[in-house]
Amino acid sequence: PTGGIMEKADLEALAQVVRETGILVISDEMLYKLTGFFPNNTEKALRSLMALSQKVKAKYYVVQQGNHGAFIYDGSHYEIVSAPSTLVPRNPKENEKRMQQTFMGALAAEYLESKNIVRASKFAVIVSLLTRAKFGNLEKVLSRAEIEQYAQEHGIDLFR
């Protein structure tokens, strides 16, 4: 897809994944490609997600906003999950693909456990940024307890 135009086959494949999970996780750049609106503020994020929701129905839309966090939309309400400033990398393009993969994996794992999309998104933002802060070279995968401890130490309420 280019220039905000999505091919019918791509849209159908995306819709199938959403039908199976109820959640659409998408990067801000892909959302721009699909809708023509770059979601760099609340109004544009809502506008782009409303446009996308006309094409692809989901229970939740989660937009990974690069290093800044995530934007969650359920069709009528939204929530912004901000990244802890201590984790925002100096070089925003470094290890970006790994961060997106980590974000999606962490979000899926936490959502399956908690059934809370906001908690899962906060958890995913922390995990992906911690991974990126170490430039993708963690000695080990962080445990749930370590991630929850980090959130607690930095005043991030995962349960809200």
Side-chain angles (χ1 to χ4, degrees), residues 107-116 119 144:
L107 182 118
E110 182 56 33
Y111 184 76
L112 288 172
E113 175 112 359
S114 70
K115 303 294 188 237
N116 181 320
R119 175 183 163 87
R144 173 180 300 284

Side-chain angles (χ1 to χ4, degrees), residues 23-26 41 54 62-63 71 76 104 112 119 131 140 142 144 150 152:
I23 302 170
L24 173 62
V25 181
I26 190 168
N41 63 40
Q54 298 304 308
V62 179
V63 180
F71 189 94
S76 58
M104 291 180 68
L112 288 172
R119 175 183 163 87
T131 300
K140 64 179 180 115
L142 299 171
R144 173 180 300 284
Y150 177 90
Q152 184 178 24

Side-chain angles (χ1 to χ4, degrees), residues 7-23:
E7 293 179 24
K8 187 173 181 161
D10 293 335
L11 189 57
E12 289 172 6
L14 183 62
Q16 180 61 34
V17 170
V18 175
R19 276 193 295 277
E20 292 173 10
T21 64
I23 302 170

Side-chain angles (χ1 to χ4, degrees), residues 36-48:
F37 301 106
F38 193 81
N40 58 350
N41 63 40
T42 301
E43 181 182 337
K44 289 179 183 177
L46 286 170
R47 180 183 252 175
S48 61

Side-chain angles (χ1 to χ4, degrees), residues 72 79-84 110 114 116-126 147-160:
I72 306 160
E79 177 100 17
I80 298 170
V81 175
S82 298
E110 182 56 33
S114 70
N116 181 320
I117 195 66
V118 174
R119 175 183 163 87
S121 296
K122 289 178 181 180
F123 190 83
V125 166
I126 292 169
I147 294 162
E148 288 176 347
Q149 179 182 351
Y150 177 90
Q152 184 178 24
E153 288 172 359
H154 290 85
I156 302 165
D157 182 4
L158 290 174
F159 296 99
R160 191 188 128 227

